[in-house]
Amino acid sequence: MSVSTMPAQTTADIAHAYREERARRAKRAAVLKHIFLILTSLVMIYPLIWMFAASLKPDNQIFGDLGLWPGEFQWENYSEGWNALPVSFTTFFWNSTVVTVLSVLGNVISCSFAAYAFARLEFSGKTIWFALMMTTLMIPYHVVLIPQYILFLNLGWVDSYLPLIVPKFLAGEAFFIFLMIQFFRQLPRELDEAAMIDGCSPFKIYWAIIMPLSLPAMATAAIFSFIWTWEDFLGPLVYLNDMKDYTVPLALRSFISTDGVSQYGPMFAMSILSILPILLFFIIFQRLIIRGIAMSGLK
Protein backbone atom coordinates (compact mmCIF):
# COMPACT_ATOMS: atom_id res chain seq x y z
CA MET A 1 0.00 0.00 0.00
CA SER A 2 1.49 3.30 -1.06
CA VAL A 3 1.76 6.27 1.20
CA SER A 4 -0.30 8.36 -1.22
CA THR A 5 -3.39 6.15 -0.63
CA MET A 6 -3.35 6.38 3.17
CA PRO A 7 -5.20 9.69 3.55
CA ALA A 8 -7.98 8.57 1.19
CA GLN A 9 -8.51 5.30 3.08
CA THR A 10 -8.46 7.06 6.41
CA THR A 11 -11.08 9.53 5.21
CA ALA A 12 -13.23 6.69 3.91
CA ASP A 13 -12.97 4.82 7.23
CA ILE A 14 -13.91 7.94 9.15
CA ALA A 15 -16.90 8.58 6.87
CA HIS A 16 -18.02 4.95 7.20
CA ALA A 17 -17.74 5.08 10.97
CA TYR A 18 -19.68 8.34 11.01
CA ARG A 19 -22.48 6.86 8.91
CA GLU A 20 -22.70 3.82 11.18
CA GLU A 21 -22.79 6.00 14.29
CA ARG A 22 -25.50 8.19 12.75
CA ALA A 23 -27.52 5.09 11.82
CA ARG A 24 -27.22 3.79 15.41
CA ARG A 25 -28.34 7.15 16.78
CA ALA A 26 -31.29 7.24 14.39
CA LYS A 27 -32.25 3.71 15.42
CA ARG A 28 -32.04 4.56 19.13
CA ALA A 29 -34.09 7.73 18.53
CA ALA A 30 -36.73 5.72 16.63
CA VAL A 31 -36.93 3.15 19.45
CA LEU A 32 -37.27 5.87 22.09
CA LYS A 33 -39.90 7.65 20.00
CA HIS A 34 -41.98 4.49 19.63
CA ILE A 35 -41.69 3.75 23.35
CA PHE A 36 -42.87 7.27 24.13
CA LEU A 37 -45.80 6.97 21.71
CA ILE A 38 -46.81 3.58 23.13
CA LEU A 39 -46.72 4.88 26.70
CA THR A 40 -48.68 7.98 25.70
CA SER A 41 -51.28 5.88 23.89
CA LEU A 42 -51.64 3.66 26.95
CA VAL A 43 -52.31 6.73 29.08
CA MET A 44 -54.92 7.92 26.59
CA ILE A 45 -56.76 4.60 26.31
CA TYR A 46 -56.46 3.76 30.00
CA PRO A 47 -60.03 4.99 30.72
CA LEU A 48 -61.35 2.58 28.08
CA ILE A 49 -59.29 -0.26 29.51
CA TRP A 50 -60.52 0.53 33.02
CA MET A 51 -64.14 0.71 31.84
CA PHE A 52 -63.86 -2.65 30.10
CA ALA A 53 -62.33 -4.18 33.22
CA ALA A 54 -65.08 -2.62 35.36
CA SER A 55 -67.73 -4.10 33.09
CA LEU A 56 -66.48 -7.58 34.11
CA LYS A 57 -66.40 -6.96 37.87
CA PRO A 58 -69.09 -7.28 40.54
CA ASP A 59 -70.40 -3.95 41.81
CA ASN A 60 -68.57 -4.25 45.13
CA GLN A 61 -65.18 -4.58 43.38
CA ILE A 62 -65.44 -1.77 40.83
CA PHE A 63 -64.49 1.06 43.18
CA GLY A 64 -63.08 -1.02 46.02
CA ASP A 65 -60.35 -2.78 44.03
CA LEU A 66 -57.62 -0.66 42.44
CA GLY A 67 -56.38 -3.44 40.18
CA LEU A 68 -57.54 -3.72 36.58
CA TRP A 69 -57.72 -7.51 36.52
CA PRO A 70 -61.10 -8.67 37.87
CA GLY A 71 -61.02 -11.01 40.84
CA GLU A 72 -63.86 -12.88 39.17
CA PHE A 73 -65.24 -12.35 35.70
CA GLN A 74 -68.86 -11.20 35.83
CA TRP A 75 -69.91 -11.82 32.23
CA GLU A 76 -73.51 -11.68 33.39
CA ASN A 77 -73.21 -7.89 33.53
CA TYR A 78 -73.74 -7.75 29.77
CA SER A 79 -76.89 -9.88 29.73
CA GLU A 80 -78.24 -8.24 32.88
CA GLY A 81 -77.48 -4.75 31.61
CA TRP A 82 -79.23 -5.40 28.30
CA ASN A 83 -82.49 -6.12 30.11
CA ALA A 84 -81.95 -4.27 33.39
CA LEU A 85 -84.27 -1.37 32.57
CA PRO A 86 -88.03 -1.59 31.92
CA VAL A 87 -87.23 -1.21 28.21
CA SER A 88 -84.65 -3.43 26.51
CA PHE A 89 -81.46 -1.90 25.14
CA THR A 90 -82.54 -3.19 21.73
CA THR A 91 -85.04 -0.34 21.69
CA PHE A 92 -82.48 2.22 22.86
CA PHE A 93 -79.97 1.20 20.20
CA TRP A 94 -82.66 1.33 17.55
CA ASN A 95 -83.74 4.81 18.68
CA SER A 96 -80.15 6.06 18.58
CA THR A 97 -79.66 4.52 15.14
CA VAL A 98 -82.76 6.22 13.71
CA VAL A 99 -81.87 9.63 15.15
CA THR A 100 -78.20 9.33 14.14
CA VAL A 101 -78.79 8.13 10.56
CA LEU A 102 -81.38 10.81 9.84
CA SER A 103 -79.20 13.49 11.45
CA VAL A 104 -76.19 12.44 9.37
CA LEU A 105 -78.22 12.53 6.17
CA GLY A 106 -79.66 15.92 7.08
CA ASN A 107 -76.27 17.43 7.91
CA VAL A 108 -74.54 16.11 4.80
CA ILE A 109 -77.30 17.13 2.39
CA SER A 110 -78.20 20.56 3.80
CA CYS A 111 -74.65 21.63 4.71
CA SER A 112 -73.31 20.59 1.31
CA PHE A 113 -76.04 22.65 -0.39
CA ALA A 114 -75.15 25.70 1.69
CA ALA A 115 -71.43 25.17 1.16
CA TYR A 116 -71.91 24.82 -2.60
CA ALA A 117 -73.80 28.11 -2.70
CA PHE A 118 -71.11 29.95 -0.73
CA ALA A 119 -68.20 28.40 -2.61
CA ARG A 120 -69.39 28.25 -6.24
CA LEU A 121 -72.34 30.61 -6.72
CA GLU A 122 -72.68 34.38 -6.73
CA PHE A 123 -75.66 36.03 -5.03
CA SER A 124 -76.50 39.28 -3.30
CA GLY A 125 -75.18 39.64 0.25
CA LYS A 126 -72.98 36.57 -0.01
CA THR A 127 -70.20 38.04 2.15
CA ILE A 128 -72.61 39.22 4.85
CA TRP A 129 -74.42 35.89 5.03
CA PHE A 130 -71.11 34.03 5.18
CA ALA A 131 -69.94 36.25 8.05
CA LEU A 132 -73.20 35.68 9.93
CA MET A 133 -72.86 31.95 9.39
CA MET A 134 -69.32 31.97 10.76
CA THR A 135 -70.35 33.94 13.85
CA THR A 136 -72.68 31.11 14.84
CA LEU A 137 -69.57 29.05 15.55
CA MET A 138 -68.97 31.29 18.58
CA ILE A 139 -72.48 30.89 20.01
CA PRO A 140 -72.69 28.12 22.64
CA TYR A 141 -75.53 25.65 22.24
CA HIS A 142 -76.81 26.49 25.73
CA VAL A 143 -77.52 30.08 24.67
CA VAL A 144 -80.11 29.03 22.10
CA LEU A 145 -81.42 26.03 24.05
CA ILE A 146 -84.29 27.83 25.79
CA PRO A 147 -85.53 29.74 22.71
CA GLN A 148 -85.40 26.54 20.68
CA TYR A 149 -87.29 24.66 23.37
CA ILE A 150 -90.02 27.32 23.45
CA LEU A 151 -90.26 27.19 19.66
CA PHE A 152 -90.52 23.40 19.53
CA LEU A 153 -92.98 23.41 22.44
CA ASN A 154 -95.27 25.78 20.54
CA LEU A 155 -94.97 23.54 17.49
CA GLY A 156 -95.93 20.50 19.57
CA TRP A 157 -92.68 18.71 18.84
CA VAL A 158 -91.54 18.12 22.42
CA ASP A 159 -91.44 14.45 23.42
CA SER A 160 -90.64 13.44 19.85
CA TYR A 161 -87.56 13.08 17.66
CA LEU A 162 -88.43 16.08 15.49
CA PRO A 163 -86.38 18.65 17.50
CA LEU A 164 -83.37 16.34 17.20
CA ILE A 165 -83.71 15.66 13.47
CA VAL A 166 -85.43 18.53 11.66
CA PRO A 167 -82.78 21.21 12.46
CA LYS A 168 -80.17 18.96 10.84
CA PHE A 169 -81.95 19.39 7.51
CA LEU A 170 -81.74 23.19 7.78
CA ALA A 171 -77.95 23.57 7.48
CA GLY A 172 -77.52 24.49 11.12
CA GLU A 173 -73.97 23.17 11.53
CA ALA A 174 -71.62 25.98 10.55
CA PHE A 175 -68.56 23.80 11.11
CA PHE A 176 -69.60 21.34 8.42
CA ILE A 177 -70.50 24.15 6.03
CA PHE A 178 -67.10 25.77 6.48
CA LEU A 179 -65.34 22.41 6.09
CA MET A 180 -67.08 21.75 2.78
CA ILE A 181 -66.57 25.31 1.54
CA GLN A 182 -62.83 24.93 1.97
CA PHE A 183 -62.93 21.67 0.01
CA PHE A 184 -65.19 22.98 -2.77
CA ARG A 185 -62.88 25.94 -3.33
CA GLN A 186 -60.04 23.57 -4.28
CA LEU A 187 -61.99 22.15 -7.22
CA PRO A 188 -61.22 23.83 -10.57
CA ARG A 189 -63.90 26.28 -11.67
CA GLU A 190 -63.29 25.17 -15.25
CA LEU A 191 -65.41 22.13 -14.40
CA ASP A 192 -68.40 24.38 -13.67
CA GLU A 193 -67.83 26.45 -16.80
CA ALA A 194 -67.61 23.38 -19.01
CA ALA A 195 -70.78 21.97 -17.46
CA MET A 196 -72.63 25.27 -17.95
CA ILE A 197 -71.63 25.27 -21.62
CA ASP A 198 -73.18 21.81 -21.88
CA GLY A 199 -76.40 23.21 -20.41
CA CYS A 200 -76.13 21.97 -16.82
CA SER A 201 -78.04 23.83 -14.14
CA PRO A 202 -76.36 24.71 -10.79
CA PHE A 203 -78.07 21.73 -9.16
CA LYS A 204 -76.91 19.42 -11.96
CA ILE A 205 -73.35 20.70 -11.54
CA TYR A 206 -73.55 20.00 -7.80
CA TRP A 207 -75.06 16.54 -8.25
CA ALA A 208 -72.97 15.28 -11.17
CA ILE A 209 -69.62 17.00 -10.61
CA ILE A 210 -69.11 18.59 -7.22
CA MET A 211 -70.62 15.87 -5.04
CA PRO A 212 -68.69 12.91 -6.56
CA LEU A 213 -65.43 14.84 -6.25
CA SER A 214 -66.17 15.88 -2.67
CA LEU A 215 -66.71 12.49 -1.07
CA PRO A 216 -63.77 12.91 1.39
CA ALA A 217 -65.20 16.16 2.78
CA MET A 218 -68.72 14.77 2.94
CA ALA A 219 -67.48 11.58 4.57
CA THR A 220 -65.64 13.65 7.17
CA ALA A 221 -68.80 15.61 7.93
CA ALA A 222 -70.80 12.39 8.10
CA ILE A 223 -68.36 10.77 10.51
CA PHE A 224 -68.22 13.74 12.87
CA SER A 225 -71.99 14.10 12.69
CA PHE A 226 -72.38 10.41 13.51
CA ILE A 227 -70.10 10.66 16.54
CA TRP A 228 -71.63 13.86 17.91
CA THR A 229 -75.22 12.69 17.44
CA TRP A 230 -74.66 9.18 18.79
CA GLU A 231 -73.12 10.46 22.02
CA ASP A 232 -75.42 13.47 22.43
CA PHE A 233 -76.95 13.53 25.90
CA LEU A 234 -78.32 17.04 26.40
CA GLY A 235 -80.63 17.15 23.39
CA PRO A 236 -82.49 13.90 24.14
CA LEU A 237 -82.56 14.81 27.85
CA VAL A 238 -84.39 18.07 27.09
CA TYR A 239 -86.86 16.83 24.48
CA LEU A 240 -87.57 13.17 25.34
CA ASN A 241 -89.69 12.18 28.34
CA ASP A 242 -90.88 8.64 27.64
CA MET A 243 -88.32 5.90 28.35
CA LYS A 244 -89.30 3.94 25.26
CA ASP A 245 -88.05 6.90 23.20
CA TYR A 246 -84.71 7.21 25.01
CA THR A 247 -81.45 7.08 23.12
CA VAL A 248 -78.46 5.13 24.44
CA PRO A 249 -76.85 7.98 26.47
CA LEU A 250 -80.12 8.64 28.28
CA ALA A 251 -80.58 4.94 28.92
CA LEU A 252 -77.09 4.72 30.46
CA ARG A 253 -77.98 7.56 32.81
CA SER A 254 -80.98 5.54 34.00
CA PHE A 255 -78.63 3.05 35.69
CA ILE A 256 -77.68 5.73 38.24
CA SER A 257 -80.33 5.81 40.94
CA THR A 258 -80.92 8.74 43.28
CA ASP A 259 -81.65 6.40 46.19
CA GLY A 260 -78.08 5.07 46.22
CA VAL A 261 -78.87 1.72 44.58
CA SER A 262 -76.97 1.92 41.29
CA GLN A 263 -76.00 -0.87 38.90
CA TYR A 264 -72.47 0.07 37.93
CA GLY A 265 -71.40 -3.27 36.46
CA PRO A 266 -74.26 -3.48 33.94
CA MET A 267 -73.91 0.24 33.25
CA PHE A 268 -70.23 -0.11 32.30
CA ALA A 269 -71.07 -3.19 30.24
CA MET A 270 -73.64 -1.23 28.24
CA SER A 271 -71.20 1.69 27.99
CA ILE A 272 -68.69 -0.61 26.29
CA LEU A 273 -71.34 -1.74 23.81
CA SER A 274 -72.43 1.85 23.20
CA ILE A 275 -68.98 3.01 22.09
CA LEU A 276 -68.38 0.06 19.76
CA PRO A 277 -70.29 1.66 16.83
CA ILE A 278 -68.22 4.84 17.18
CA LEU A 279 -64.93 2.94 17.34
CA LEU A 280 -65.80 0.76 14.36
CA PHE A 281 -67.06 3.74 12.37
CA PHE A 282 -63.87 5.68 13.08
CA ILE A 283 -61.53 2.77 12.35
CA ILE A 284 -63.21 2.01 9.03
CA PHE A 285 -63.33 5.61 7.80
CA GLN A 286 -60.30 7.18 9.51
CA ARG A 287 -58.48 7.62 6.18
CA LEU A 288 -61.39 9.62 4.82
CA ILE A 289 -61.38 11.79 7.95
CA ILE A 290 -57.69 12.60 7.57
CA ARG A 291 -57.98 13.12 3.81
CA GLY A 292 -61.06 15.32 4.10
CA ILE A 293 -59.58 17.56 6.80
CA ALA A 294 -56.18 17.77 5.11
CA MET A 295 -57.59 18.64 1.68
CA SER A 296 -60.06 21.11 3.19
CA GLY A 297 -57.15 23.03 4.67
CA LEU A 298 -55.18 23.37 1.42
CA LYS A 299 -54.82 26.77 -0.16
Side-chain angles (χ1 to χ4, degrees):
M1 180 180 298
S2 63
V3 177
S4 60
T5 61
M6 290 296 294
Q9 288 187 347
T10 303
T11 303
D13 293 340
I14 294 175
H16 180 69
Y18 174 75
R19 285 195 298 268
E20 288 187 344
E21 179 63 23
R22 188 170 60 177
R24 285 194 294 268
R25 289 180 180 178
K27 186 175 181 180
R28 288 196 297 267
V31 171
L32 293 175
K33 182 178 70 174
H34 281 83
I35 292 175
F36 173 76
L37 292 175
I38 292 172
L39 293 177
T40 304
S41 64
L42 288 177
V43 172
M44 295 179 65
I45 67 174
Y46 177 80
L48 294 177
I49 298 175
W50 184 91
M51 186 167 64
F52 177 71
S55 70
L56 298 175
K57 293 181 180 180
D59 286 348
N60 59 357
Q61 293 184 11
I62 293 177
F63 300 108
D65 186 5
L66 297 179
L68 283 178
W69 193 261
E72 57 177 306
F73 288 89
Q74 194 87 4
W75 294 101
E76 296 80 7
N77 286 339
Y78 285 86
S79 58
E80 292 177 3
W82 194 266
N83 299 294
L85 301 177
V87 180
S88 172
F89 256 82
T90 304
T91 302
F92 301 138
F93 272 93
W94 173 251
N95 295 339
S96 287
T97 302
V98 171
V99 173
T100 301
V101 170
L102 293 178
S103 297
V104 169
L105 289 176
N107 275 328
V108 172
I109 294 173
S110 62
C111 292
S112 63
F113 281 162
Y116 174 71
F118 280 122
R120 315 294 283 196
L121 303 180
E122 297 296 333
F123 54 90
S124 178
K126 175 180 176 179
T127 303
I128 297 176
W129 288 114
F130 180 77
L132 290 175
M133 185 271 295
M134 292 301 297
T135 57
T136 61
L137 288 171
M138 298 180 287
I139 301 177
Y141 174 71
H142 308 80
V143 173
V144 298
L145 179 60
I146 295 178
Q148 283 184 352
Y149 182 84
I150 295 174
L151 173 64
F152 294 139
L153 182 64
N154 292 332
L155 292 174
W157 289 3
V158 175
D159 204 18
S160 71
Y161 297 135
L162 293 177
L164 305 176
I165 297 174
V166 172
K168 309 298 183 182
F169 285 86
L170 303 177
E173 296 289 348
F175 172 76
F176 297 145
I177 297 176
F178 179 71
L179 179 73
M180 294 182 186
I181 288 175
Q182 294 298 98
F183 192 95
F184 291 168
R185 285 175 175 172
Q186 313 308 317
L187 302 178
R189 284 193 173 271
E190 289 78 5
L191 297 174
D192 299 27
E193 296 171 358
M196 292 176 64
I197 293 175
D198 290 339
C200 291
S201 64
F203 177 78
K204 183 66 174 179
I205 295 173
Y206 162 82
W207 182 260
I209 299 176
I210 301 299
M211 190 178 70
L213 295 175
S214 305
L215 289 181
M218 293 188 180
T220 302
I223 293 166
F224 278 112
S225 180
F226 177 89
I227 295 174
W228 293 348
T229 306
W230 183 271
E231 64 183 14
D232 181 29
F233 175 78
L234 182 59
L237 178 65
V238 171
Y239 296 111
L240 301 179
N241 300 317
D242 195 340
M243 180 173 283
K244 65 180 178 61
D245 296 326
Y246 280 7
T247 56
V248 171
L250 272 185
L252 293 175
R253 177 61 181 82
S254 301
F255 282 102
I256 306 299
S257 176
T258 57
D259 58 7
V261 182
S262 301
Q263 299 172 290
Y264 290 107
M267 181 189 70
F268 286 126
M270 294 301 99
S271 298
I272 290 293
L273 295 181
S274 69
I275 65 175
L276 286 181
I278 296 177
L279 289 176
L280 293 176
F281 208 75
F282 179 81
I283 291 173
I284 294 173
F285 298 104
Q286 61 178 327
R287 288 192 175 183
L288 286 176
I289 295 178
I290 298 172
R291 183 183 173 193
I293 294 178
M295 296 186 68
S296 298
L298 294 177
K299 295 295 182 183

